[in-house]
Amino acid sequence: MTTERCSPNWVLLCLMSAGLLAWLTLEAVSIAPNRLVAGTPHRAHEVHGWWAALLAGLPMLGVMVLAWRPGTRRLQAALALVVGLLVAMPLWLATAVMALADPDIPQARLGIGASLWLLLFLWLLVLIELRTRLNLSRAFGWLLLLPVVFAWWLSLSFWLEPLALYREYQGRSDQFASAIAYHLTLVGAAVGASLLLGIVLALCMRRYAGMRKAGFGLLNVVQTIPSLALFGLLLAPLAWLSARFDWLASMGVSGIGWAPAWLALVGYSLLPMVRNTYVALEGVAPAVIESARGMGMSRRQTFLQVRLPLALPVVLEGVRITTVQAIGLTAVAALIGAGGLGTFIFQGLGQAAMDLVLLGALPIIGLALVADALLGALAERLRHGGTP
Amino acid sequence: MIELFDVTKRFGSETAVDGISLRVEKGEFCALVGTSGCGKSTTLRMINRLIEHSEGEIHLDGQPVRSFNEELLRRRIGYVIQNTGLFPHWTVARNIGLVPRLLKWPRGKIQARTDELLGLLGLPREEFADKYPHQLSGGQAQRVGVARALAADPEILLMDEPFGALDPITRQTLQRELQDLQARLNKTVVFVTHDMDEALALADRLVVMHQGRIVQQGRPIDLLHDPVDAFVESLLGGMDRGLKEASLTCVSERMAPFGPRLLASERIPYRAPLSQALSVMLWHRVERLTVVDDEDIPIGELSLRRLLGAKPS
């Protein structure tokens, strides 16, 4: 194996030494008697003692050693170690609960501290680095996360009841499910509308050069308006419209709520959507179009059978960008009463309850990642066999 | 049969093709040659109406091309372009079956025709039918391009620098294959190229274009012997014309029966062009070659004197 002689993988070394440092110096967990009182922070060695903390640091050290001479086998071993670490984290939290929680205070809450958040982040980066180095498929990367998800599910259902994040969830499990559904509906409606509108606009722009300049100019301007300002700008005209037309009001259109949020999301989504669709349609090789016409395909056949299918992967790229962007923006839309996961974030900010903020923020990150992965995989599939 | 009567094409104020008249007989292989921008591609594309001519008339078997529906017209005419224009998202088989599908042939007939064409162009069906264009080499892709153009068995084939993007060796192979193909299929071919050797090797009739006009047309050998002006002469190779002419003549046309002398040590196939025989003589510093048949059996000899032959009049 020629890779045996290659130079150290500095990415892994840096990430892991940062992780080790965080593990030994930053607070790992905090414990609070109830929701209102700030918790007492505990560093890793304050939970189970120095020996246990150092022992837990060994796998990280192991990854660093393996990264020093990164052959394929060593990187595979490192991958196994990192997955193991990710699986171990919820289990370690469970032991921390047992060590720290006072059985006399049933309302005690365990907060996840800076070091664990940082470790989670760093380890995921390491996972990505290893996946790229080892040339593993996207699907396999997701498969690796299965045991991790399972470990969290197991710990949450048996031992991690005092976890503050979990307590916040338990208090709002109904709201949580409906918030996710609402969030996704809003994103879906906005992306769907902007896709339709985007295709129509891109087609018009291809036909009329004047419209192209004006259209992209306008969309660029919309893109530069801060999201909060755009929500605010839509407030007055929508309120006026719904006061003026009863049928709009009966649909639920008003200055606040889903209507301005949806309009703003569509506005933001249009630029990436139109640009990608336009570039995709224009980017089809002229020789291919020429031969389609030369073989006797009609304009309609050329568009539907040749130009559109060849443009589709890039159009889908636009859908991907737009969806990820809209999932994030919808969080802000909660401010104008649009609902969704953003509600938890702003409630949490108002009550200075960080765990409630996380209850809103973490699923948003999760949704964005999943949407990104799914749409990316779909685009890759469509590209398959097509253009190299 | 394709006829152009005084055809002109203007793009805005620019005249790309300026009143040309041309007649390509059925089964004739006609090469349009000239420098880039001389209007040869435009002329070709006016025949299948990818470009509409501004003035004059273009007839196909006596019917003006404008009297046809343009899509139906194009489905009757095979079209091959330089960058193949294969659809990257379709398999080879689907690409080849394009025009038959547009013509609504039954499925089984399309399949049979596709297989036949793959065989005709030396692309084994099992290996190539399900490949995508990006999995093919340049030569293979262009073979598929030719197969696609031939799919609905059109009488006319338009080829726009089909081998222009290929390396010299692949190009020569494909030229030879096209020659064989044409000998069998006898299509009416209009072939645009700026490669004079290619045009000389393939064409029955050479049409030299310059600045939108036809400067000279005729059999390749006639143009070589009697170029109308300095431009045509330089396009045909100037001082190299001797070699070009030699490349048009076969060894078998000049060979003699065995003389009283011993067999010459160097051999030349009877089908090789005279230019190649000359090259062998130059290389080995000999004045006599043994001519052999396909099985490498001596059938005659060729001396330098005979190779030079009578001076062309």
Side-chain angles (χ1 to χ4, degrees):
Chain A
M1 212 173 290
T2 51
T3 36
E4 290 295 337
R5 285 175 166 277
C6 60
S7 55
N9 183 322
W10 291 109
V11 178
L12 292 182
L13 283 172
C14 288
L15 289 174
M16 273 306 174
S17 32
L20 211 54
L21 203 69
W23 171 247
L24 293 176
T25 57
L26 297 177
E27 61 162 312
V29 288
S30 65
I31 194 106
N34 54 49
R35 188 168 183 239
L36 302 173
V37 182
T40 345
H42 294 275
R43 280 178 284 184
H45 60 86
E46 290 162 351
V47 179
H48 295 306
W50 269 109
W51 283 115
L54 287 176
L55 204 66
L58 274 184
M60 278 192 268
L61 212 58
V63 173
M64 289 168 73
V65 171
L66 290 169
W68 189 254
R69 289 265 173 272
T72 308
R73 293 234 159 265
R74 287 159 187 250
L75 286 182
Q76 281 165 351
L79 188 69
L81 276 179
V82 174
V83 173
L85 281 169
L86 282 164
V87 168
M89 184 182 280
L91 303 175
W92 184 85
L93 272 173
T95 65
V97 168
M98 288 168 203
L100 296 175
D102 186 343
D104 298 335
I105 313 175
Q107 285 309 306
R109 299 160 74 92
L110 183 82
I112 299 176
S115 93
L116 289 195
W117 286 123
L118 202 60
L119 281 178
L120 199 61
F121 176 65
L122 293 172
W123 290 347
L124 285 175
L125 285 185
V126 168
L127 206 62
I128 292 169
E129 165 74 9
L130 285 172
R131 192 180 71 92
T132 347
R133 292 277 157 199
L134 287 169
N135 245 332
L136 302 175
S137 71
R138 205 190 272 262
F140 190 78
W142 286 99
L143 216 63
L144 283 176
L145 287 181
L146 267 187
V148 182
V149 172
F150 178 72
W152 276 100
W153 173 80
L154 197 73
S155 315
L156 282 172
S157 28
F158 291 108
W159 311 296
L160 279 183
E161 203 184 326
L163 192 70
L165 198 58
Y166 191 55
R167 293 214 175 205
E168 296 290 353
Y169 165 72
Q170 277 184 318
R172 301 176 175 73
S173 54
D174 294 345
Q175 266 175 292
F176 184 76
S178 65
I180 284 195
Y182 193 83
H183 204 98
L184 286 178
T185 312
L186 202 53
V187 168
V191 171
S194 73
L195 177 62
L196 283 181
L197 207 57
I199 289 176
V200 172
L201 275 178
L203 289 181
C204 290
M205 285 178 178
R206 274 170 47 77
R207 180 153 279 189
Y208 311 106
M211 192 160 165
R212 181 162 68 235
K213 278 190 187 143
F216 276 128
L218 183 71
L219 291 174
N220 269 317
V221 170
V222 172
Q223 204 73 10
T224 57
I225 306 175
S227 50
L228 261 181
L230 188 56
F231 293 137
L233 284 175
L234 287 169
L235 216 132
L238 279 175
W240 181 79
L241 278 175
S242 81
R244 189 83 191 261
F245 302 103
D246 289 339
W247 60 272
L248 276 178
S250 66
M251 272 173 64
V253 173
S254 66
I256 57 167
W258 65 265
W262 179 76
L263 274 178
L265 285 176
V266 172
Y268 282 122
S269 304
L270 269 181
L271 179 66
M273 201 70 97
V274 173
R275 195 171 41 204
N276 268 288
T277 311
Y278 180 80
V279 168
L281 290 173
E282 285 294 291
V284 176
V288 173
I289 299 302
E290 152 131 9
S291 77
R293 298 288 292 146
M295 294 290 140
M297 287 179 116
S298 65
R299 278 182 197 286
R300 195 186 150 82
Q301 286 167 327
T302 307
F303 185 81
L304 290 178
Q305 295 184 36
V306 182
R307 200 186 278 280
L308 198 60
L310 286 175
L312 212 54
V314 186
V315 175
L316 215 70
E317 194 68 8
V319 175
R320 188 177 67 89
I321 296 169
T322 313
T323 308
V324 171
Q325 179 187 276
I327 288 175
L329 273 176
T330 305
V332 186
L335 265 190
I336 51 164
L341 287 164
T343 320
F344 297 138
I345 297 182
F346 291 111
Q347 269 179 20
L349 284 175
Q351 302 169 8
M354 273 309 129
D355 296 302
L356 188 51
V357 174
L358 285 176
L359 188 65
L362 288 179
I364 289 177
I365 297 173
L367 285 178
L369 287 177
V370 170
D372 185 66
L374 285 181
L375 289 168
L378 191 62
E380 210 166 283
R381 230 188 124 72
L382 282 180
R383 220 181 275 269
H384 225 68
T387 32
Chain B
M1 182 176 63
I2 306 165
E3 290 161 301
L4 277 70
F5 301 107
D6 210 11
V7 171
T8 295
K9 175 65 195 177
R10 290 191 197 87
F11 294 107
S13 60
E14 212 168 308
T15 307
V17 173
D18 193 1
I20 63 170
S21 294
L22 178 66
R23 184 186 162 104
V24 185
E25 299 294 341
K26 188 167 162 24
E28 196 175 25
F29 196 120
C30 169
L32 299 180
V33 290
T35 47
S36 30
C38 69
K40 53 192 194 303
S41 264
T42 308
T43 305
L44 186 82
R45 293 155 56 131
M46 283 192 293
I47 297 173
N48 67 358
R49 288 181 64 193
L50 278 174
I51 295 176
E52 294 286 356
H53 53 281
S54 314
E55 277 167 34
E57 294 244 352
I58 300 178
H59 287 186
L60 233 58
D61 295 332
Q63 294 245 44
V65 288
R66 290 225 170 114
S67 67
F68 300 99
N69 166 295
E70 58 179 309
E71 271 104 36
L72 295 182
L73 172 80
R74 289 186 199 130
R75 290 172 199 173
R76 286 181 44 187
I77 302 179
Y79 186 48
V80 185
I81 59 176
Q82 180 172 346
N83 296 314
T84 72
L86 295 178
F87 299 165
H89 58 309
W90 285 8
T91 59
V92 165
R94 197 157 173 218
N95 264 295
I96 295 177
L98 170 62
V99 182
R101 219 165 22 250
L102 291 176
L103 293 171
K104 303 209 163 54
W105 287 15
R107 190 184 275 261
K109 193 178 165 194
I110 298 177
Q111 169 106 41
R113 179 64 179 158
T114 308
D115 292 352
E116 182 189 346
L117 283 163
L118 280 170
L120 196 64
L121 284 144
L123 302 165
R125 190 185 68 84
E126 309 75 46
E127 190 183 342
F128 287 98
D130 295 324
K131 278 196 169 166
Y132 285 94
H134 69 91
Q135 295 167 305
L136 305 176
S137 71
Q140 290 163 350
Q142 198 50 276
R143 282 193 187 92
V144 176
V146 174
R148 178 173 67 170
L150 290 172
D153 205 14
E155 272 188 23
I156 296 169
L157 204 54
L158 304 180
M159 309 181 89
D160 195 350
E161 303 212 24
F163 310 139
L166 302 175
D167 62 273
I169 293 174
T170 314
R171 179 192 295 214
Q172 258 185 1
T173 318
L174 280 179
Q175 283 167 6
R176 222 166 295 139
E177 286 180 17
L178 182 63
Q179 250 173 332
D180 293 347
L181 214 58
Q182 171 63 1
R184 263 193 282 176
L185 303 176
N186 215 29
K187 304 285 181 194
T188 309
V189 184
V190 183
F191 187 100
V192 163
T193 180
H194 61 252
D195 178 344
M196 188 49 81
D197 291 322
E198 186 167 82
L200 287 172
L202 294 170
D204 303 322
R205 177 210 292 268
L206 214 53
V207 177
V208 179
M209 289 186 69
H210 187 50
Q211 292 175 342
R213 293 167 188 273
I214 292 177
V215 194
Q216 193 175 8
Q217 56 175 307
R219 291 192 308 151
I221 198 91
D222 296 339
L223 261 69
L224 274 169
H225 290 169
D226 198 11
V228 72
D229 59 14
F231 172 76
V232 177
E233 189 179 324
S234 74
L235 199 69
L236 285 163
M239 296 285 260
D240 280 342
R241 271 187 297 155
L243 285 174
K244 307 250 184 212
E245 191 208 342
S247 73
L248 292 182
T249 317
C250 238
V251 165
S252 57
E253 288 177 40
R254 297 280 172 92
M255 75 176 188
F258 295 116
R261 286 180 292 175
L262 289 171
L263 284 184
S265 58
E266 302 308 329
R267 300 173 162 216
I268 185 87
Y270 77 105
R271 282 207 282 197
L274 286 181
S275 53
Q276 201 179 327
L278 185 61
S279 172
V280 174
M281 288 177 179
L282 282 169
W283 184 252
H284 294 284
R285 304 283 189 279
V286 295
E287 292 190 1
R288 219 154 51 88
L289 299 175
T290 299
V291 180
V292 295
D293 66 5
D294 290 332
E295 268 85 51
D296 209 27
I297 298 166
I299 51 172
E301 66 171 16
L302 179 71
S303 64
L304 182 57
R305 273 177 68 92
R306 289 207 56 114
L307 186 146
L308 295 176
K311 195 186 179 314
S313 48

